[in-house]
Amino acid sequence: MNATLLSTQTKERVLTAYPESMEEKLNLGYRTGTAVKFNERGNLLAIGCYDGIIKIYDFDTCSEIIELSSNEDDGIVGHTSIISCIDWFKNYRYLLSSGYDNKVMVWDIIEKEPINTFEFESPMLKSYINPTNQDLILCCPTYEIPELINIRTGKRTPLPITKYEFKAKSKHDFIGGRFTVDGKYIFIGNSVGQIIVIDVNTLQIVRYGTQPVTNPFHISEDININLKSKQVQNRMYAISQLEFSKKGNYIAVNCNVSIQIFRYFIHEDKVDNQVRKSVNFYLLHEFKPVVAGETYLHCHFSGTVSNNDSNYLIASNGANIYIYDYVNGGELVKLLECPYRESILCMEWHPQNFKYIKPTIAVSTKGGCIYIWSRNIPENWSAFAPDFDEIEINETYIEREEEYDMEDETDEENDSNKNQTENHSNQQNGQELIDIFTIPPSELEYVEIPIEPIKDSDMRMLLKIQDENDYEPAPTTQKRKRNSKKKNTKKKKKQENLSSSDSEYIDD
């Protein structure tokens, strides 16, 4: 869609629009997409599959253009298990992927081979690229402390985080993080509901309010919460996902049981010539499933066309997609349902950059399909014709007498007058006009078309008659003359015999 073809009213609708209907469907065949990601421009869509293969689609034509996978002939070793996360570099040539095969890879999508591979001891949950410094990536294993890796130097730095030890051996402290939009901080969430903020440059923990560094923020907003209580250890506050809005003013915390949206602020104070940083969180909304006992699997903020922040939050629950307006009251504005009740594995809201301004959501389901949900927005094609007024509803218009015929009649009269003057001038000069287009009647060939169909026998007789009339061979040799004389004598004998037989019949 071209943004220049939109009127001011339509642009205002786009700012507050959300997807309403399914527009496209991509079929992955026997594969199932486990991770989807748009690039920053929005013209490429990367899909990570269940078997470790990564497919890249052109979003304009919805056709596959690149496939990244292992190739034994060329010695390329890719992922061998589920792809858990995908992220794009800003130049769109390189791609970051992580999987359950304990590997994080940086792919060159033109050469179709990985240029860097980092291995861990446990499956990878997430991996992200620093938005401002593309050399730094954040890797979050399942049972290990997250690491900050420099791609150019290969240096791996564990984050200064202490894991919480559960009493039960079957429980583990799952830790996942995310870069802020400006790339200066890392937000880490763990299984007991704590959010830890780390400075990327100094790798130091930013304290929560006036609390000490050892007491980070808890999503229950209880400072003196007992982490050994049954409610905490039963995963009531386990953080499974952190998402930032497009401008980075809000953070969504997915605890599966609920989704909380916080407004956060990071302050810098100078004390004794030292800069001390602190972070504060303010709860804006809390969304819970409509049916008790259900859980949210994924959440994501909407894209935006203007310089404002995101307007909507989407959350998936089974085969349903909930769209919440968290800015104005936190109401549920739309409920989308996948066809055939297919369970949702992952989803992504289009960034709505460049020429792609329509609100669009890409959803991957267990059925091996990628559904594209969008909304039709009318374009103002009269923008190129300033004198043309576009109307939304058809109006009846009564045409005046000869309103649109005056110009045509005057044009015909002028043409006829010009032709007469030209002919008169040519006759005066003694020049005759030669007509080379009309055919004289003597040269016209008339063809008679019968009304009733001609039978085959009659058609043969007509063809014979035409051949006899058209073809009259001239005798050129003596043999032909002799043959013709013999034929004539035979005919005379036959006629004499016939005449004699007739006379005898008359006498009798």
Side-chain angles (χ1 to χ4, degrees):
M1 174 177 284
N2 193 346
T4 59
L5 297 178
L6 298 180
S7 61
T8 54
Q9 296 179 354
T10 307
K11 288 181 180 180
E12 291 178 358
R13 295 176 187 173
V14 172
L15 296 178
T16 59
Y18 49 84
E20 291 185 345
S21 60
M22 190 176 65
E23 189 178 67
E24 195 69 36
K25 176 184 175 181
L26 304 178
N27 192 357
L28 300 179
Y30 63 91
R31 292 188 174 90
T32 302
T34 56
V36 292
K37 184 67 177 178
F38 286 100
N39 63 343
E40 188 177 357
R41 192 173 186 179
N43 60 338
L44 297 176
L45 175 62
I47 303 171
C49 300
Y50 195 84
D51 54 356
I53 294 177
I54 301 173
K55 293 179 175 290
I56 299 176
Y57 282 78
D58 182 8
F59 192 66
D60 290 330
T61 59
C62 292
S63 59
E64 182 182 345
I65 55 176
I66 297 174
E67 180 177 326
L68 305 177
S69 61
S70 300
N71 192 345
E72 296 180 356
D73 297 335
D74 297 336
I76 299 174
V77 179
H79 289 286
T80 58
S81 185
I82 301 173
I83 303 295
S84 60
C85 187
I86 295 175
D87 202 1
W88 285 90
F89 286 84
K90 285 189 176 180
N91 56 4
Y92 311 145
R93 175 169 179 172
Y94 301 104
L95 186 76
L96 179 68
S97 65
S98 60
Y100 284 2
D101 56 353
N102 308 349
K103 293 181 181 179
V104 175
M105 294 185 178
V106 180
W107 292 83
D108 186 346
I109 63 175
I110 296 178
E111 300 295 335
K112 298 181 181 180
E113 62 180 6
I115 57 175
N116 282 321
T117 302
F118 305 97
E119 295 184 0
F120 294 82
E121 296 180 358
S122 61
M124 297 300 300
L125 284 176
K126 302 291 181 181
S127 60
Y128 298 103
I129 305 169
N130 192 319
T132 55
N133 186 2
Q134 299 282 289
D135 294 336
L136 297 178
I137 61 174
L138 177 65
C139 301
C140 303
T142 306
Y143 308 129
E144 302 176 33
I145 295 176
E147 293 184 4
L148 191 64
I149 301 176
N150 191 321
I151 298 175
R152 293 186 180 274
T153 61
K155 183 180 179 181
R156 303 172 63 163
T157 306
L159 297 181
I161 299 173
T162 57
K163 293 179 62 178
Y164 181 79
E165 299 294 337
F166 290 93
K167 292 181 180 180
K169 293 182 180 179
S170 60
K171 295 183 179 180
H172 299 276
D173 189 10
F174 299 133
I175 301 174
R178 193 73 187 264
F179 284 106
T180 55
V181 176
D182 55 6
K184 296 180 179 180
Y185 303 96
I186 300 174
F187 280 61
I188 301 293
N190 57 13
S191 297
V192 293
Q194 293 177 335
I195 298 178
I196 306 166
V197 182
I198 300 174
D199 192 346
V200 174
N201 295 326
T202 61
L203 292 180
Q204 294 180 358
I205 297 176
V206 179
R207 60 196 179 103
Y208 165 57
T210 58
Q211 299 297 318
V213 177
T214 57
N215 193 6
F217 171 74
H218 196 272
I219 58 175
S220 64
E221 297 185 289
D222 187 0
I223 299 173
N224 300 318
I225 189 170
N226 185 11
L227 299 179
K228 297 181 180 180
S229 63
K230 293 182 180 180
Q231 189 177 12
V232 176
Q233 294 196 6
N234 288 335
R235 307 285 176 89
M236 295 299 293
Y237 296 106
I239 299 174
S240 61
Q241 185 183 6
L242 296 175
E243 287 290 335
F244 287 95
S245 59
K246 189 172 182 180
K247 299 300 179 182
N249 297 324
Y250 303 93
I251 181 172
V253 181
N254 185 7
C255 302
N256 293 333
V257 180
S258 64
I259 297 177
Q260 298 178 5
I261 298 180
F262 292 94
R263 183 80 161 92
Y264 69 94
F265 298 94
I266 297 177
H267 306 279
E268 295 183 359
D269 299 327
K270 290 185 178 181
V271 179
D272 298 334
N273 295 328
Q274 293 182 357
V275 178
R276 291 184 179 180
K277 297 180 181 181
S278 62
V279 59
N280 290 318
F281 293 87
Y282 300 95
L283 180 62
L284 187 64
H285 290 292
E286 183 178 4
F287 304 107
K288 293 184 178 181
V290 179
V291 180
E294 293 184 348
T295 58
Y296 291 115
L297 299 178
H298 304 279
C299 67
H300 201 277
F301 280 98
S302 64
T304 178
V305 182
S306 64
N307 295 324
N308 299 327
D309 211 337
S310 304
N311 294 324
Y312 300 101
L313 175 78
I314 56 173
S316 65
N317 176 13
N320 299 326
I321 302 173
Y322 300 93
I323 303 178
Y324 295 101
D325 186 359
Y326 72 94
V327 177
N328 301 318
E331 297 180 355
L332 177 65
V333 295
K334 190 66 178 179
L335 174 62
L336 304 176
E337 185 177 350
C338 291
Y340 310 109
R341 300 293 299 174
E342 295 181 7
S343 299
I344 298 173
L345 296 177
C346 57
M347 61 182 180
E348 178 83 5
W349 192 300
H350 195 279
Q352 295 180 240
N353 288 335
F354 190 51
K355 62 178 181 179
Y356 309 96
I357 61 174
K358 291 199 305 182
T360 305
I361 301 175
V363 180
S364 176
T365 61
K366 285 186 178 179
C369 297
I370 305 294
Y371 295 106
I372 308 297
W373 299 81
S374 186
R375 182 174 183 174
N376 292 326
I377 298 174
E379 294 179 344
N380 183 19
W381 292 97
S382 62
F384 295 105
D387 297 336
F388 183 80
D389 295 331
E390 186 177 2
I391 58 176
E392 296 182 358
I393 303 174
N394 293 333
E395 298 178 358
T396 57
Y397 178 74
I398 300 174
E399 181 182 351
R400 298 192 304 272
E401 184 68 25
E402 298 180 353
E403 182 178 2
Y404 298 107
D405 299 336
M406 292 296 293
E407 295 180 357
D408 298 337
E409 291 178 356
T410 54
D411 292 340
E412 290 178 358
E413 292 177 357
N414 293 330
D415 293 337
S416 61
N417 293 329
K418 286 182 182 179
N419 293 330
Q420 291 178 1
T421 54
E422 288 178 358
N423 294 332
H424 183 68
S425 61
N426 290 329
Q427 289 177 1
Q428 288 180 354
N429 296 329
Q431 297 178 359
E432 295 183 359
L433 297 176
I434 300 173
D435 189 1
I436 62 174
F437 297 102
T438 57
I439 302 173
S442 60
E443 297 181 5
L444 293 175
E445 296 181 359
Y446 298 97
V447 180
E448 295 181 358
I449 301 174
I451 299 173
E452 297 180 356
I454 302 173
K455 297 180 180 180
D456 293 338
S457 59
D458 297 338
M459 193 69 189
R460 291 172 185 170
M461 293 296 294
L462 289 172
L463 292 173
K464 286 182 180 180
I465 293 168
Q466 289 180 0
D467 292 340
E468 290 177 359
N469 295 330
D470 296 339
Y471 181 69
E472 294 180 356
T476 55
T477 58
Q478 294 180 357
K479 290 182 179 180
R480 290 181 180 177
K481 291 180 180 180
R482 291 174 185 175
N483 291 331
S484 61
K485 288 180 181 180
K486 289 180 181 181
K487 290 180 181 178
N488 293 328
T489 53
K490 287 181 181 180
K491 289 181 181 179
K492 289 179 181 180
K493 288 180 180 180
K494 287 182 180 179
Q495 290 177 358
E496 291 176 355
N497 293 329
L498 291 171
S499 62
S500 60
S501 61
D502 293 337
S503 60
E504 290 178 359
Y505 177 75
I506 293 168
D507 294 333
D508 293 336

